[in-house]
Amino acid sequence: MGINSMYITGGISAYIICMFSFATCFLISPLKTFFIYLVSLVFFIYGLILNVDTLQVLYSTMVNGLITVILAQIISSLNYASFCKDFLNKKRILESKQMLETVNAKLQEYEKTRTDFFVNISHELRTPLNVIYSAEQMIDNSMKSSNLDRNQINKYFKMIKQNTYRLLRLINNLIDITKIDAASFKIKLINYDIVKTVEDISISVAEFIEHNGITLTFDTEIEEKIIACDPDSIERIILNLLANAVKYGKESGSIFVDIFLEENYVCISIKDTGIGIPEDMCDLIFDRFTQVDTSLKRTNEGSGIGLALVRSLVEMHGGNISVKSKFGEGSEFIIRLPDLRIPENNEKISASILDEKNINRINIEFSDIYL
Ligand code: ADP
C-alpha cells in the first residue's frame, strides 16, 4: 500500500490505512499477528526490490514502513484494540439484546398465564369447597331442629356429591397433566372396538345431556372397527368433549357424535350448536389453562386443563385433534386415531362399559355442569 501510495498518489493516506489495519492485528493471537507481520514484511521487501530504483527512496520507504508498524503498535496499546473489539461486538450485543427481549416477553406472557392459572385454580378449588361447607352446615342445622325435611337433606347431599366430584376432576386433571409433563403417564394400548366404545359412552350420557335440554345424536359410517387404543383414555377424551359440548352449548341445542373413516385414520367428530369459539382462539384452546372467557364472573366453571389433556391423550395414540368453529353458531372437534392394530393376540370387543367405575367417571367429568 505504502509503495503504491508513493508511486500513484505520492500521499501518506495509504500509510495511515496500513497503520490502522496493522493495529487491528492485535485482536488476534500473538502468533497469528507475528505471522501476518512476517508475511507483510516479505511482500514489502519484495515490492521495494521490484519498484524502487534509487537507494534513497528505498531507505525512506523502509523508514516509513517501520514508522507505520511502530505507530500501529502504539495505537493498539492506546486501547484501539478494545475499540475495534467493541465495534465488532456491537452487532453481537444488539442481537443478544433482541434475543433477551424476546425471552423476556415470553417469560412475562408465561408469568401472566401462571398468575391467571393460580387465580383461576384458587377460585375453582374454593367454590366447591364453599358449597360443601355450606351444605354440611345446613344438614347440621336441620339435624338439630325438630322438623327434619328429608327432601332438603337429599338436596344438600346431592350438592356435596356434585362438588366433591368437581374437586376430584380438577385434582385428577392436575395430577395427570403433571404426570404427562414428567413423561410418567402411560396409556395401555389394546385392540378394541372403537365404534362400540364411543357408542356406549354416548348412550351412557344421553340421559344426562337430554336432562339439560340438549339432544344427542350418535351416527356411524361403520358398524365395527377394531384399532389399538386405550379404552380408559378414549372414554376420558369423549366424556371431556361431550361435557364441553353441554357446558358451552345453548339451551335446546344439539350434539352430534359421528364416526367415519379417512385414509389410515378413524375419525370421531363431536359437534355442537353452542356458543362457538372465536377464530383466533381455535388453536389456543388446546394449550393448558387457556380459556376464551378468563373472567371469574364467567358463566361456566372450568380450569382450562381439559382440552390440553385431551390433546395429549390423543397424541399418545399417534393421532391428532382439530376444531372447526363459528363464533355464536357452534363447534366441531374431530379426533383422528390411526387405523392400526397391535400384534398381540388380546383382541377384545368392548363389553358394556357401563359398570360402576364408569358411572362414577361420568359424574366426575360432567361435574362442572349443574342440573
Ligand atoms: P375448561 O375447564 O375451561 O372447560 P377446557 O380445556 O376443556 O377447559 O376448554 C378450554 C376452553 O375452550 C374453554 O374455557 C372454552 O372457552 C373453550 N371451549 C372448549 N370446548 C368448547 C365448546 N364445545 N364450545 C365453545 N367453547 C369451547
Side-chain angles (χ1 to χ4, degrees):
M1 270 183 171
I3 295 159
N4 282 346
S5 164
M6 198 171 65
Y7 281 93
I8 299 163
T9 63
I12 61 158
S13 56
Y15 283 106
I16 295 170
I17 296 168
C18 265
M19 183 182 70
F20 280 105
S21 308
F22 271 124
T24 55
C25 289
F26 294 96
L27 289 172
I28 52 180
S29 69
L31 191 72
K32 284 180 187 163
T33 309
F34 174 74
F35 183 70
I36 288 173
Y37 271 42
L38 196 69
V39 171
S40 307
L41 187 70
V42 170
F43 275 105
F44 183 60
I45 293 169
Y46 185 64
L48 284 180
I49 293 165
L50 283 184
N51 295 297
V52 175
D53 20 67
T54 66
L55 221 57
Q56 198 196 353
V57 177
L58 178 78
Y59 289 145
S60 73
T61 313
M62 278 177 79
V63 169
N64 284 347
L66 198 68
I67 292 169
T68 304
V69 175
I70 293 168
L71 281 176
Q73 284 276 10
I74 295 168
I75 284 180
S76 68
S77 67
L78 289 175
N79 243 351
Y80 178 69
S82 72
F83 166 76
C84 290
K85 255 186 208 158
D86 283 354
F87 182 76
L88 293 173
N89 280 340
K90 216 170 181 176
K91 200 172 162 240
R92 238 174 288 154
I93 292 167
L94 265 174
E95 276 170 10
S96 309
K97 204 177 152 207
Q98 273 170 359
M99 213 173 79
L100 273 177
E101 275 169 6
T102 319
V103 172
N104 196 23
K106 273 199 181 141
L107 273 177
Q108 277 180 7
E109 206 178 294
Y110 174 75
E111 187 58 31
K112 192 184 169 302
T113 314
R114 212 173 68 104
T115 314
D116 285 351
F117 166 68
F118 278 115
V119 173
N120 190 19
I121 221 79
S122 316
H123 170 81
E124 287 298 308
L125 283 170
R126 204 181 47 195
T127 313
L129 270 178
N130 273 341
V131 178
I132 293 170
Y133 180 70
S134 316
E136 187 270 335
Q137 295 277 300
M138 300 303 272
I139 293 171
D140 200 34
N141 288 344
S142 298
M143 295 289 225
K144 280 178 195 153
S145 73
S146 47
N147 54 339
L148 235 165
D149 183 347
R150 277 225 147 265
N151 284 341
Q152 278 296 85
I153 301 262
N154 279 344
K155 200 180 110 194
Y156 296 137
F157 272 129
K158 210 176 143 205
M159 277 163 72
I160 291 179
K161 208 167 174 186
Q162 167 143 29
N163 283 279
T164 310
Y165 285 140
R166 261 187 77 188
L167 279 177
L168 254 175
R169 176 174 190 253
L170 182 63
I171 290 160
N172 281 348
N173 282 352
L174 279 174
I175 292 173
D176 289 345
I177 211 96
T178 317
K179 275 190 186 166
I180 287 171
D181 279 349
S184 65
F185 190 103
K186 300 268 180 291
I187 57 165
K188 291 182 209 100
L189 291 182
I190 54 170
N191 293 330
Y192 222 76
D193 183 0
I194 188 83
V195 179
K196 181 101 170 65
T197 308
V198 177
E199 187 178 5
D200 281 352
I201 297 164
S202 306
I203 292 170
S204 69
V205 291
E207 199 187 315
F208 179 91
I209 291 178
E210 266 146 34
H211 216 87
N212 277 268
I214 296 174
T215 55
L216 175 74
T217 313
F218 175 83
D219 197 11
T220 176
E221 204 178 68
I222 26 163
E223 282 307 306
E224 184 187 285
K225 188 78 201 169
I226 294 170
I227 59 164
C229 61
D230 173 10
D232 278 351
S233 301
I234 297 293
E235 188 193 27
R236 194 108 182 257
I237 294 166
I238 305 295
L239 283 179
N240 236 300
L241 294 177
L242 283 175
N244 275 351
V246 177
K247 203 157 64 160
Y248 303 105
K250 286 186 195 148
E251 228 174 279
S252 17
S254 312
I255 299 174
F256 304 92
V257 180
D258 275 305
I259 303 182
F260 56 94
L261 291 179
E262 255 178 23
E263 205 184 342
N264 304 327
Y265 285 101
V266 178
C267 306
I268 306 162
S269 147
I270 295 180
K271 193 172 169 183
D272 64 63
T273 54
I275 60 171
I277 303 159
E279 211 182 318
D280 58 325
M281 290 298 289
C282 279
D283 286 335
L284 302 178
I285 53 167
F286 295 102
D287 293 343
R288 68 186 62 169
F289 316 132
T290 307
Q291 297 177 304
V292 174
D293 182 1
T294 45
S295 70
L296 291 182
K297 286 187 238 83
R298 62 179 185 267
T299 38
N300 291 304
E301 308 290 350
S303 56
I305 306 177
L307 285 181
L309 201 65
V310 165
R311 182 173 63 180
S312 298
L313 292 175
V314 172
E315 284 173 357
M316 279 181 194
H317 281 82
N320 61 63
I321 180 166
S322 59
V323 64
K324 286 189 269 182
S325 184
K326 234 183 180 174
F327 193 47
E329 288 183 25
S331 318
E332 181 181 11
F333 287 83
I334 300 175
I335 302 158
R336 288 177 187 83
L337 297 173
D339 184 3
L340 293 171
R341 292 189 196 194
I342 45 171
E344 286 99 316
N345 194 22
N346 58 353
E347 209 162 283
K348 196 168 143 191
I349 309 292
S350 145
S352 174
I353 58 157
L354 274 172
D355 58 16
E356 204 174 320
K357 189 176 121 215
N358 294 95
I359 290 168
N360 249 346
R361 232 179 258 166
I362 294 165
N363 286 331
I364 291 173
E365 292 301 341
F366 279 72
S367 57
D368 278 349
I369 305 152
Y370 289 100
L371 281 173

